[in-house]
Amino acid sequence: MSEVQNQKPEKKPIIFSGIQPSGTLTLGNYIGALRNFSKLQDEYDCIYSIVDMHAITVRQNPAELRRRCMELAAIYIASGIDPKKSLIYCQSHVPGHAELSWILNCFTYMGELQRMTQYKDKAAKHADNINAGLFTYPVLMAADILLYQTNLVPVGVDQKQHLELCRDIAQRFNGVYGDVFTIPEGYIPKVGAKVMSLQEPTRKMSKSDPEDTYVALLDDPDTIRRKIKRAVTDSDGEIRYDPENKPGVSNLLSIMSALGAGTLEELQNELAGQGYGTLKARTTDCVIATLEPLQAEFKRLIADKAYLQGVLDENARTANYLANKTLRKVQKKVGFASRG
Ligand code: TRP
């Protein structure tokens, strides 16, 4: 056999990320996560999950949850992820997530979970429903990641603590049973512009805050225009990037820059001496120009349920195959009886 034939195609590093099909995706999710996902597809083997099992840790309306799963699949694809290159699938369609999660539960300490700030926040927010799933949420997330021997996990700061825990669990397991899991690293995108709330620009833009604080990915142009028009700025009237002292103005500049309108410096020079009205109009134009094609593609896809279902089914088959490879190894290591 010639040497060329002998060579296996080089394995690409694996990227895993998940988005919950709950609430509305915002411009912040798009700039901070989604739009980077599609750029990673050629260099990495990417797995993008619709984490519906995480979503039910807070009460969901079943019909709405089902609808949002399909919508998220359409959004993933509309944002440029090619389901022939990357995996887009529903977490609940791959039982390995739940199975590995159980095993990892037995390698996670109560104290570790009690320290998780997201758990503390959510428990305070949903005091009438502090369920065990909310508590072990980070273990399911660890299972998501470890099931696919993931190398890199694109995460925002709010999920860093969960990723650290995932690494700790994996190292603990490997310490007992040998190298079973790849230890994942966080992947911080190079241009990681953080989008802030339009009303309280010192806080991150969040889908759990009131409507007028964020631009939703599927907001129509009039809504986008209105929300940005009402965005909080300041009273000194100068267009300058200075997040410390001018968080509102800086946020708009940084949104524009993230959407390709120029560097912060270029924008600052270009808009110097203009009023905030102009700044807001320009920001609005940038946002609409970005979201309009995405929304058009979304509308086309969401009307084609058969196509979306086909994508989810086919990708879940591949995900199951990959997940089971790790799961079988883990089950053997912990001593589960072998299957005939
Ligand atoms: N917990 C993540 C969030 O709310 C979603 C998520 C679930 C995730 N599993 C994951 C993110 C695995 C990255 C990797 O944002």
Side-chain angles (χ1 to χ4, degrees):
M1 217 192 279
S2 80
E3 207 169 311
V4 177
Q5 277 170 323
N6 240 338
Q7 273 172 358
K8 281 196 191 157
E10 213 179 307
K11 246 187 120 230
K12 297 177 191 166
I14 297 167
I15 286 203
F16 183 98
S17 198
I19 296 183
Q20 293 193 48
S22 54
T24 323
L25 285 179
T26 70
L27 183 65
N29 300 123
Y30 179 73
I31 290 176
L34 258 181
R35 71 169 178 151
N36 301 312
F37 286 2
S38 61
K39 295 186 196 148
L40 302 167
Q41 297 184 102
D42 294 319
E43 237 177 295
Y44 303 94
D45 278 332
C46 299
I47 306 173
Y48 298 121
S49 188
I50 298 165
V51 291
D52 48 358
M53 288 160 66
H54 278 107
I56 63 161
T57 55
V58 303
R59 213 50 88 220
Q60 301 288 337
N61 172 305
E64 210 167 285
L65 180 60
R66 212 179 329 273
R67 179 174 57 78
R68 284 187 194 280
C69 284
M70 278 296 183
E71 286 179 0
L72 185 49
I75 286 175
Y76 270 145
I77 300 169
S79 76
I81 299 170
D82 175 354
K84 294 229 175 291
K85 279 190 201 157
S86 305
L87 288 183
I88 298 173
Y89 72 97
C90 292
Q91 185 187 31
S92 65
H93 294 178
V94 179
H97 289 257
E99 294 178 74
L100 181 61
S101 181
W102 175 257
I103 296 173
L104 297 182
N105 265 318
C106 304
F107 290 84
T108 308
Y109 298 112
M110 297 291 286
E112 290 178 308
L113 294 175
Q114 268 151 357
R115 277 198 292 280
M116 295 292 120
T117 52
Q118 184 176 296
Y119 167 70
K120 290 191 258 187
D121 291 349
K122 285 201 181 172
K125 221 167 129 188
H126 305 276
D128 57 336
N129 182 20
I130 306 179
N131 61 72
L134 199 60
F135 190 61
T136 58
Y137 177 114
V139 184
L140 178 58
M141 181 164 157
D144 297 344
I145 297 167
L146 299 177
L147 208 41
Y148 299 96
Q149 305 293 347
T150 302
N151 301 97
L152 296 168
V153 185
V155 279
V157 273
D158 61 321
Q159 295 298 314
K160 256 181 125 172
Q161 199 184 26
H162 289 163
L163 182 61
E164 273 309 310
L165 179 63
C166 169
R167 289 166 54 90
D168 288 345
I169 298 171
Q171 267 152 354
R172 185 172 302 145
F173 194 95
N174 284 358
V176 181
Y177 300 106
D179 279 340
V180 177
F181 295 125
T182 303
I183 308 298
E185 309 269 347
Y187 178 89
I188 316 291
K190 283 170 216 106
V191 274
K194 190 162 147 193
V195 181
M196 312 305 277
S197 157
L198 297 176
Q199 292 301 317
E200 264 183 90
T202 51
R203 293 179 44 162
K204 195 177 148 183
M205 182 179 279
S206 165
K207 58 186 176 185
S208 33
D209 286 342
E211 256 253 61
D212 60 340
T213 65
Y214 62 80
V215 172
L217 226 50
L218 301 178
D219 274 347
D220 58 51
D222 283 344
T223 309
I224 296 173
R225 200 164 289 119
R226 179 171 45 79
K227 285 179 176 175
I228 295 180
K229 204 170 191 171
R230 291 192 194 149
V232 166
T233 49
D234 53 55
S235 55
D236 86 16
E238 196 190 333
I239 300 180
R240 179 161 50 84
Y241 184 76
D242 178 357
E244 277 282 305
N245 302 302
K246 299 171 67 64
V249 169
S250 303
N251 189 31
L252 298 181
L253 285 170
S254 129
I255 289 173
M256 268 201 275
S257 176
L259 297 181
T263 64
L264 291 168
E265 206 178 2
E266 284 164 359
L267 290 169
Q268 201 171 275
N269 292 338
E270 207 181 303
L271 290 164
Q274 313 252 26
Y276 289 165
T278 307
L279 171 66
K280 288 179 172 180
R282 285 284 306 275
T283 310
T284 304
D285 290 344
C286 284
V287 172
I288 292 176
T290 303
L291 295 188
E292 239 172 10
L294 186 150
Q295 294 178 357
E297 186 60 4
F298 171 83
K299 281 201 190 100
R300 194 182 68 76
L301 289 161
I302 204 68
D304 193 349
K305 290 284 183 322
Y307 167 74
L308 289 176
Q309 192 67 57
V311 164
L312 291 177
D313 290 350
E314 193 182 323
N315 283 343
R317 265 196 293 280
T318 311
N320 266 303
Y321 169 78
L322 296 172
N324 281 338
K325 282 210 283 196
T326 301
L327 187 64
R328 297 296 171 248
K329 210 187 277 179
V330 170
Q331 289 169 329
K332 192 169 171 195
K333 290 285 184 187
V334 299
F336 290 174
S338 49
R339 298 163 187 238

